[in-house]
Amino acid sequence: MLLINAGAADANGAGAEGSEGSEGSEGSEGDFQEWVNYDKAVRDAGIWVSGESLADLVTATTVRVGPDGQRSVVDGPFAETREVLGGFYVIDVPNLDVALDWAARCPGARGSGSVVVRPVADFGA
Amino acid sequence: MREQASGTGRAVESVFREEHGRLLASLVQRFGDLDLAEEVASEAIEAALVHWPAQGVPVKPGAWLLTTARRKAVDRLRRDQTYAARLAVLQVEADRADPAPPADADADLPDERLQLFFTCAHPALPDEARGALMLRCLAGLTTPEVARAYLVPPATMAQRIVRAKKKIRAARIPFRVPGTDELPVRLPGVLQVLYSVFTEGYAASSGPDLQRPDLAEEAIRLARILRRLLPAEREVTGLLALMLLVHARREARTGPDGELVLLEDQDRGRWDRAMIEEGLALVPVALTGGPPGLYGVQAAIAALHDEAADLETTDWPQIVALYEVMLALDPSPVIALNRAAAVAMRDGPHAGLALLDELADEERLRGYHPYHAARADLLQRLGRLDEAAAAYRRALELAGTEPERAHLRRRLGATESPAPNGVMDT
């Protein structure tokens, strides 16, 4: 699984800067095209399992249940999170090196972003 | 063909030392599982200990061990169905991977250790696990031996190794040699691990002993293997040359009480001539046929030291020039520090000190005791004793081993009751 992290702009979590910024500069259009290209490459390679791009961070809500069973609901992600999950791909590849190659090609790995590669846990059959 | 029982014991031991890494690499390649490979490898060794004394050492001991270990692995496979399913998948991948390099004409076993080198040094593994894994899997050291080498409790080392192996399996770090396009990116990591094992042996970062020659020798042994596997990679040759040329001075680096003896004070008669010759022969190989690499250039510098009769007749201009080549390859403050020390030898302490003071703001040097020790030494040579003493005190706070601290304390003492010129050595 490739977790696409965008660097958080500030502690308030206004971290969804970047690709679809409102400036409409040619830079962001170029970024968008890169995402389209990457998405196509992943699907064409036959390794795509699933994937989503997550909506803007202001729509995020965090739920946590304390030891007393009390539910606490907080607006946004935890403030201490430095990087903000922007989306993910689940891909089916034979080993870590191949996954790292795909992660490196992901536009989200560039600039202040990063891509975390994590195997999906296999609980056996 | 029968051997004496005592001879057999030694034969088994030497076969184990020499074949362990190769045996393990072959098994990993076939079964894709480091734990399984280790278990059946040691079972095969145990079987050898039982059978060889009675039946004699087989003509091809390595092949015997591999066949025995494979058979044991297959037995386990049959016993454990879920294991079998997973291994079947891994086997498909192993077959799909690049074919193994052709075996030497005189060897019956293909040498798959290169894959293991790249796996142990994979960038996805934590730094502190890479050297440990290499010593464990390729050099055949036991976990307690590896723990001793890194001066950590065996339980800590065992946990570190278990975690690393778990990551190799769970994250599917592949057992493979990177393709020629990736090699320039991945090989430096392998060399870095070998070199860090060596430097831990050359100058321990902590603990009572200054040197751990056993560890340095393991690193050299592994570098020899790597060079045999990658003969065309000049930096592998450069690293081996560097390690030989530095290790050749090991006997002279410490005094009778284990104290540090600097290059200038070493008894050059105690340097290992044979090792120097071997290293010297490798330097031109490492430096010809393309742009120089960092290890090759460092080996050339070590060669100039080893060839010199004493400090004065050392070819300092050429050493300074080589440090400049290194700085161009890697503009690191540590290299700049060494260049400054060489300039001090070529042009005098004033010139060296000026260069060191330019480096004073470097973050990496502020907490690096050799920087402060080098500065103290030059200040002392210039007769600026108070400043020298302050710099020695700073170096003392930062030094990691007792022999280094003792050496610095002696030097500090000399600034307080100055010895007559040139009689600091004894």
Side-chain angles (χ1 to χ4, degrees):
Chain A
M1 181 177 211
L2 309 183
L3 298 171
I4 301 151
N5 288 320
D10 54 53
N12 296 329
E17 35 79 42
S19 47
E20 56 281 78
S22 54
E23 315 92 325
S25 66
E26 48 184 338
S28 63
E29 272 167 38
D31 286 349
F32 184 70
Q33 191 54 47
E34 285 182 37
W35 280 104
V36 172
N37 294 345
Y38 180 73
D39 199 67
K40 184 173 185 312
V42 170
R43 286 164 202 265
D44 289 352
I47 57 169
W48 188 85
V49 177
S50 67
E52 296 292 347
S53 172
L54 300 182
D56 198 281
L57 201 60
V58 295
T59 63
T61 310
T62 301
V63 181
R64 184 186 261 168
V65 178
D68 51 358
Q70 273 289 15
R71 181 198 289 193
S72 83
V73 177
V74 180
D75 176 30
F78 292 108
E80 60 270 22
T81 308
R82 278 291 146 107
E83 287 182 321
V84 173
L85 189 62
F88 68 89
Y89 278 95
V90 177
I91 58 174
D92 183 8
V93 291
N95 62 49
L96 181 66
D97 279 357
V98 181
L100 292 177
D101 287 341
W102 281 101
R105 289 174 63 179
C106 178
R110 277 171 244 152
S112 62
S114 64
V115 173
V116 174
V117 181
R118 296 192 59 176
V120 175
D122 177 6
F123 295 107
Chain B
M1 290 289 278
R2 278 181 85 94
E3 297 234 7
Q4 305 273 320
S6 62
T8 313
R10 240 175 299 134
V12 173
E13 199 184 308
S14 91
V15 166
F16 175 69
R17 290 290 290 157
E18 288 310 308
E19 295 293 333
H20 179 268
R22 205 148 81 144
L23 179 62
L24 197 63
S26 290
L27 293 165
V28 167
Q29 173 62 24
R30 171 149 299 228
F31 297 104
D33 186 306
L34 199 45
D35 277 324
L36 179 75
E38 280 195 306
E39 279 165 27
V40 296
S42 53
E43 280 176 25
I45 304 272
E46 277 166 32
L49 286 169
V50 172
H51 291 290
W52 294 2
Q55 294 159 11
V57 175
V59 188
K60 294 168 181 168
W64 189 96
L65 285 170
L66 183 58
T67 309
T68 308
R70 274 186 189 163
R71 219 171 272 150
K72 288 180 185 295
V74 170
D75 287 348
R76 279 175 181 242
L77 257 163
R78 291 205 181 106
R79 275 204 305 270
D80 188 337
Q81 281 305 313
T82 52
Y83 216 20
R86 203 179 76 223
L87 286 170
V89 172
L90 289 164
Q91 183 54 40
V92 171
E93 281 156 26
D95 292 342
R96 219 193 295 156
D98 296 347
D104 298 343
D106 59 342
D108 300 296
L109 303 176
D111 200 331
E112 277 133 348
R113 281 176 292 189
L114 200 51
Q115 274 115 314
L116 209 45
F117 268 109
F118 282 96
T119 308
C120 292
H122 199 281
L125 292 172
D127 281 346
E128 78 266 15
R130 294 184 210 160
L133 268 183
M134 234 183 236
L135 288 171
R136 177 88 182 82
C137 298
L138 282 152
L141 265 59
T142 62
T143 299
E145 282 170 336
V146 178
R148 213 158 36 243
Y150 284 96
L151 302 167
V152 299
T156 307
M157 184 50 78
Q159 201 177 37
R160 214 178 266 182
I161 290 176
V162 165
R163 270 201 204 125
K165 286 199 289 198
K166 200 175 155 199
K167 176 149 190 189
I168 290 174
R169 186 167 44 216
R172 297 264 190 107
I173 292 176
F175 297 98
R176 64 187 267 276
V177 180
T180 41
D181 54 327
E182 289 171 281
L183 204 60
V185 181
R186 293 280 307 278
L187 184 59
V190 175
L191 298 179
Q192 177 60 48
V193 173
L194 277 183
Y195 193 46
S196 69
V197 171
F198 178 79
T199 48
E200 193 59 35
Y202 166 76
S205 52
S206 57
D209 297 320
L210 184 70
Q211 302 196 77
R212 310 187 45 87
D214 50 337
L215 201 52
E217 260 143 42
E218 281 305 337
I220 289 174
R221 203 165 72 83
L222 291 174
R224 283 187 205 280
I225 295 171
L226 190 61
R227 178 161 187 261
R228 212 158 50 237
L229 299 169
L230 285 174
E233 292 297 329
R234 293 179 304 128
E235 275 290 83
V236 180
T237 306
L239 177 61
L240 176 59
L242 172 62
M243 296 200 289
L244 289 168
L245 291 166
V246 169
H247 196 58
R249 303 197 287 256
R250 68 197 174 279
E251 295 290 337
R253 279 191 82 237
T254 41
D257 301 319
E259 72 273 20
L260 172 69
V261 182
L262 290 188
L263 191 59
E264 56 188 290
D265 305 325
Q266 286 174 16
D267 173 3
R268 294 176 183 228
R270 293 175 70 201
W271 288 359
D272 184 334
R273 280 291 137 201
M275 198 172 271
I276 290 174
E277 293 306 321
E278 191 189 350
L280 286 178
L282 293 174
V283 172
V285 183
L287 289 180
T288 40
L294 276 176
Y295 292 117
V297 178
Q298 280 185 86
I301 293 171
L304 290 171
H305 284 302
D306 285 4
E307 281 178 310
D310 53 43
L311 209 65
E312 281 67 42
T313 57
T314 302
D315 190 346
W316 292 108
Q318 205 181 329
I319 289 179
V320 172
L322 287 167
Y323 275 121
E324 271 150 22
V325 173
M326 269 178 83
L327 266 180
L329 291 170
D330 174 17
S332 106
V334 173
I335 296 174
L337 163 64
N338 282 288
R339 175 176 171 270
V343 168
M345 292 306 298
R346 186 188 63 180
D347 303 334
H350 267 296
L353 190 62
L355 289 173
L356 285 186
D357 287 340
E358 281 174 29
L359 297 170
D361 291 332
E362 289 288 350
E363 200 59 48
R364 270 182 68 192
L365 295 183
R366 225 173 277 165
Y368 186 62
H369 76 87
Y371 174 77
H372 299 281
R375 224 177 133 260
D377 177 54
L378 295 184
L379 287 165
Q380 193 172 18
R381 282 169 204 255
L382 291 167
R384 291 158 64 176
L385 298 184
D386 288 348
E387 290 165 88
Y392 277 129
R393 283 195 199 98
R394 181 79 188 113
L396 258 169
E397 285 167 24
L398 297 166
T401 61
E402 188 42 39
E404 277 170 317
R405 279 195 293 270
H407 167 79
L408 290 165
R409 269 196 297 274
R410 268 199 311 283
R411 284 289 173 105
L412 176 61
T415 65
E416 281 153 359
S417 54
N421 251 350
V423 196
M424 313 194 277
D425 323 352
T426 2

